[in-house]
Amino acid sequence: MERNNDEDAGNEALHTWLNKRDVSLTSVKMYSDKNIVNILTSFLIAKGVRKAVVCPGSRNVPLVNNMVEAEQIECFPVTDERSAGFYALGMSLRLGEPVVVCVTSGSALLNVAPAMAEAYYRHVPVILVSADRPKAWIDRLDGQTMCQSGALKNCVKSQADLTEYADDDKLAENLSVLTLNRCLNEALGQEQGPAHINVHIDEPLFNFTVSALPHARSIDALAACNDVSDDVRGLIKKFIAADRRLIVIGQLPYSSRQLDITIKQLRKYFVILNEPLSSSYSVPFDKALLNFDSSSSNESIDFLLTMGETVVSKTIKQYIRSCRIAEHWEINDAGKIHDVSLQQTGILRCSPLVFLTALLDEAAKCKADDKVGMLPFEEAWTKRIDNVQQVVDEYEPPFSQLSAVRKLELSLEDMEYDYDVHYANSMAVRLGTLYSQHYIWCNRGINGIEGSLSAAAGFSVVSDSMVFCVIGDLSFFYDQNALWNRNLKGNLRIMLLNNGGGGIFSRLKGLDAQGEGQDAIAGLHITNAKGICEQNDVGYISARSEEEYREGLVHFLTETTSRPMVMEVFTSVADDNAALDGLNKMIIENR
């Protein structure tokens, strides 16, 4: 955000144009006199952009004005760029379409980096549009003239640097058209991802004299056909023929019910290890590896199939890296190699759902001929998982973060409204994978604590369902500006798990010997969310005991409000650890 005093007029101008959203659509639309701004606006519309998160400033006023004026684009103002990027991420996740986040020049661009990195690793089409100073003034001690072009090159799938051109400069216009087509087609292609479009804009900034946008010569890209080829069938038959088979599925974009059904049916024949970040039909397999020692493991796997992005479980990655793997094939749309096992032998460019559906069809045929069934290796895995699931279902932990998440998830199963649940990173999502019977939304692209609340908030703004966000204290307070926003509605409900610091650090081997240094590592604090909620007109409930939690949960789940609601659950690290240790002990004893 530009903060120079001499640019206050630009900020005032932005808010004036934002208020014009309420003007009748029959009023005359007036766009910027900047050719490059107008052609960019046309391209965003042509490529399917219908929502834009806009941040204040003056250099980006021509861009924001055009988006506000365009009937096809709905604008959502967010003051803090750090939140704005995650708002756009949340909107794009919910809508399944590209969403713009528009920022002004200078350090404002850098504040969006965490959100763009998250979008990059989760293949979310967030389109970052940044205003920039003229190239002639970069690095010449003029205000806010950092080098913005390529500043986020490691966080985006594609990028473009645009400059203004004269009306009669057709070559420059054609170059801009080519640049925009290449950039947006790559970001919105088969393997989607974020894009950064940097626009150099000359002064004057506030001339709006053009009544119509130019035509966007959109060059559309065709996605490759994703059918069951001979290569797919050959790999499937080879997998079925193996004795020690394993399928591991990481985070996948929210999909249709078909993926859940396919995974459920495949479990009749194979072991599939997946978390609710890929499908609502999942198993708590991480706990099946309790006391796993990678240094002493020498297990063999004949055929490992992996697909999807990251898994929350660190233990499963340690496990497969410790095994001797004869063949490891990865399945993804882009044909991109990740080599999670460090022993990968092949990559198949195919949709996970297409592949799993074909695997199910072939397994059903082989079953009819008595050629497929659970083998000893798979039976052992299945027994371990079933034992874990039995303990998780039966164990009633004392008041703790574990019990709070358990009771929330059990209560959600009885709700008669549609809902989506976001979990923040670190301990929160690990608790969620134990109890969730639905798909989990989580920023696992790079696993950062920033932006979890903003992504959920942005998701809620464009959703008609109830949107829950379960979040730890450090993540919440880091991202508290997500609540500093006028767009929020009463469908956003935030369960804040506050145990006075990063409780997960107390469970990491080696850190328990750090003494006073552990306080700094864990970010210990005595902060609560009551004041934050009051200043942002957000409902607030607190619970410091089992009785208060039960009473508050009823209001949290059922009360109708026009603004978001926070339920802050206060626990201690000692109680949280005791609850988890009790669960782990029962699992080990139940083997």
Side-chain angles (χ1 to χ4, degrees):
M1 184 193 313
E2 299 183 276
R3 298 173 176 86
N4 293 348
N5 292 332
D6 61 347
E7 301 204 55
D8 286 344
N11 290 328
E12 293 177 3
L14 172 62
H15 289 292
T16 298
W17 285 308
L18 289 177
N19 291 333
K20 289 171 66 178
R21 293 168 66 193
D22 297 329
V23 176
S24 170
L25 293 178
T26 60
S27 61
V28 177
K29 302 294 183 182
M30 298 304 292
Y31 300 97
S32 172
D33 65 346
K34 310 294 183 186
N35 289 328
I36 193 61
V37 173
N38 291 338
I39 194 69
L40 170 59
T41 307
S42 294
F43 263 90
L44 293 175
I45 294 170
K47 297 297 185 181
V49 170
R50 296 297 177 262
K51 310 288 183 185
V53 178
V54 296
C55 301
S58 61
R59 186 64 48 170
N60 65 331
V61 162
L63 294 162
V64 174
N65 173 78
N66 273 24
M67 294 179 198
V68 171
E69 290 291 278
E71 294 181 6
Q72 299 91 335
I73 300 177
E74 182 180 7
C75 291
F76 298 83
V78 176
T79 303
D80 189 323
E81 293 96 1
R82 295 170 299 179
S83 288
F86 283 103
Y87 262 76
L89 175 75
M91 291 180 180
S92 184
L93 286 170
R94 179 63 181 85
L95 299 173
E97 61 187 41
V99 174
V100 161
V101 54
C102 180
V103 301
T104 194
S105 62
S107 58
L109 171 65
L110 302 181
N111 288 329
V112 193
M116 300 306 286
E118 179 67 27
Y120 178 81
Y121 285 103
R122 292 179 70 188
H123 313 295
V124 181
V126 176
I127 311 300
L128 169 60
V129 178
S130 60
D132 199 353
R133 302 302 176 100
K135 287 185 176 181
W137 291 107
I138 303 299
D139 287 341
R140 297 184 63 184
L141 303 184
D142 208 46
Q144 297 183 323
T145 52
M146 59 171 277
C147 185
Q148 295 183 199
S149 178
L152 303 183
K153 63 181 179 180
N154 293 326
C155 302
V156 296
K157 193 170 189 292
S158 60
Q159 53 189 334
D161 198 59
L162 305 177
T163 57
E164 179 64 354
Y165 57 86
D167 289 338
D168 59 350
D169 193 342
K170 296 302 180 184
L171 183 60
E173 179 182 349
N174 286 337
L175 179 59
S176 298
V177 168
L178 178 61
T179 299
L180 282 168
N181 269 302
R182 285 177 172 174
C183 178
L184 292 173
N185 281 354
E186 185 173 358
L188 305 177
Q190 186 172 10
E191 183 190 23
Q192 296 187 336
H196 175 206
I197 301 174
N198 189 58
V199 190
H200 298 274
I201 304 177
D202 294 309
E203 294 181 14
L205 303 173
F206 312 137
N207 290 340
F208 307 105
T209 58
V210 177
S211 59
L213 292 172
H215 170 68
R217 185 167 57 85
S218 176
I219 304 171
D220 297 326
L222 295 177
C225 295
N226 201 348
D227 201 357
V228 182
S229 63
D230 291 340
D231 290 337
V232 174
R233 294 189 182 92
L235 189 63
I236 286 173
K237 290 180 180 179
K238 198 171 185 180
F239 176 76
I240 291 176
D243 290 330
R244 299 171 69 86
R245 308 166 297 203
L246 188 64
I247 302 174
V248 179
I249 305 177
Q251 184 176 29
L252 289 172
Y254 181 78
S255 184
S256 64
R257 180 67 176 162
Q258 184 60 41
L259 180 63
D260 295 343
I261 296 172
T262 302
I263 290 177
K264 182 177 181 179
Q265 293 176 338
L266 276 171
R267 282 211 170 93
K268 299 175 183 177
Y269 310 111
F270 313 108
V271 172
I272 300 179
L273 307 182
N274 73 293
E275 296 158 335
L277 285 77
S278 60
S279 165
S280 60
Y281 193 79
S282 60
V283 291
F285 64 83
D286 181 73
K287 294 296 182 182
L289 290 166
L290 274 176
N291 292 342
F292 165 71
D293 184 0
S294 60
S295 63
S296 61
S297 175
N298 195 30
E299 195 161 271
S300 64
I301 298 176
D302 294 337
F303 210 123
L304 171 67
L305 286 174
T306 61
M307 58 197 75
E309 304 300 331
T310 60
V311 290
V312 175
S313 172
K314 182 179 180 180
T315 313
I316 190 61
K317 286 176 279 191
Q318 294 174 331
Y319 168 75
I320 63 176
R321 288 167 186 165
S322 72
C323 292
R324 291 175 286 106
I325 301 175
E327 286 203 62
H328 169 200
W329 281 73
E330 181 179 1
I331 316 297
N332 64 52
D333 291 292
K336 187 174 182 179
I337 299 171
H338 296 95
D339 194 18
V340 174
S341 69
L342 307 182
Q343 303 169 73
Q344 186 167 336
T345 55
I347 179 76
L348 179 65
R349 183 171 184 171
C350 181
S351 157
L353 178 57
V354 168
F355 182 87
L356 292 174
T357 302
L359 175 60
L360 177 61
D361 291 342
E362 186 65 27
K365 294 176 184 177
C366 292
K367 178 64 175 177
D369 298 330
D370 294 324
K371 294 181 180 180
V372 68
M374 280 285 182
L375 300 173
F377 174 77
E378 294 163 319
E379 290 175 347
W381 259 105
T382 300
K383 181 180 179 180
R384 289 198 296 264
I385 291 172
D386 289 345
N387 289 342
V388 169
Q389 189 66 68
Q390 179 183 354
V391 173
V392 169
D393 292 341
E394 295 177 355
Y395 179 64
E396 296 187 12
F399 181 68
S400 59
Q401 292 186 351
L402 184 66
S403 70
V405 171
R406 178 177 183 270
K407 289 182 174 62
L408 171 66
E409 289 292 352
L410 289 174
S411 299
L412 284 175
E413 294 178 15
D414 296 328
M415 295 299 103
E416 296 182 355
Y417 49 68
D418 294 330
Y419 59 84
D420 292 280
V421 184
H422 291 242
Y423 274 87
N425 277 310
S426 200
M427 184 58 76
V429 70
R430 286 169 170 80
L431 299 179
T433 59
L434 279 174
Y435 296 111
S436 173
Q437 298 299 310
H438 53 75
Y439 181 84
I440 280 181
W441 300 88
C442 183
N443 290 350
R444 292 303 290 183
I446 49 175
N447 309 351
I449 69 167
E450 68 279 285
S452 295
L453 186 55
S454 289
F459 189 106
S460 72
V461 166
V462 291
S463 176
D464 294 327
S465 66
M466 291 290 284
V467 178
F468 294 91
C469 179
V470 183
I471 187 168
D473 43 15
L474 298 188
S475 298
F476 177 89
F477 294 122
Y478 189 96
D479 194 24
Q480 62 182 278
N481 278 347
L483 301 181
W484 180 31
N485 191 272
R486 71 185 188 190
N487 302 304
L488 297 176
K489 305 178 295 185
N491 66 331
L492 177 61
R493 303 294 164 95
I494 303 154
M495 177 166 285
L496 168 55
L497 306 176
N498 189 345
N499 60 5
I504 194 171
F505 294 104
S506 66
R507 302 190 67 80
L508 299 180
K509 294 180 179 179
L511 278 183
D512 52 355
Q514 295 301 311
E516 294 182 0
Q518 186 175 350
D519 293 354
I521 294 170
L524 300 187
H525 64 86
I526 55 172
T527 309
N528 68 70
K530 185 176 182 181
I532 296 169
C533 292
E534 289 176 349
Q535 74 180 19
N536 291 295
D537 188 27
V538 171
Y540 179 77
I541 302 171
S542 66
R544 297 178 182 271
S545 66
E546 184 70 34
E547 183 179 354
E548 289 181 354
Y549 179 86
R550 290 181 181 276
E551 181 179 346
L553 187 62
V554 174
H555 296 285
F556 183 71
L557 294 174
T558 63
E559 188 172 325
T560 301
T561 65
S562 60
R563 292 287 293 167
M565 182 183 298
V566 169
M567 182 175 180
E568 188 167 19
V569 183
F570 293 94
T571 63
S572 71
V573 172
D575 290 342
D576 294 337
N577 284 339
L580 282 169
D581 290 341
L583 174 63
N584 292 342
K585 181 180 179 181
M586 283 188 62
I587 290 173
I588 293 172
E589 292 174 347
N590 196 49
R591 285 179 174 174

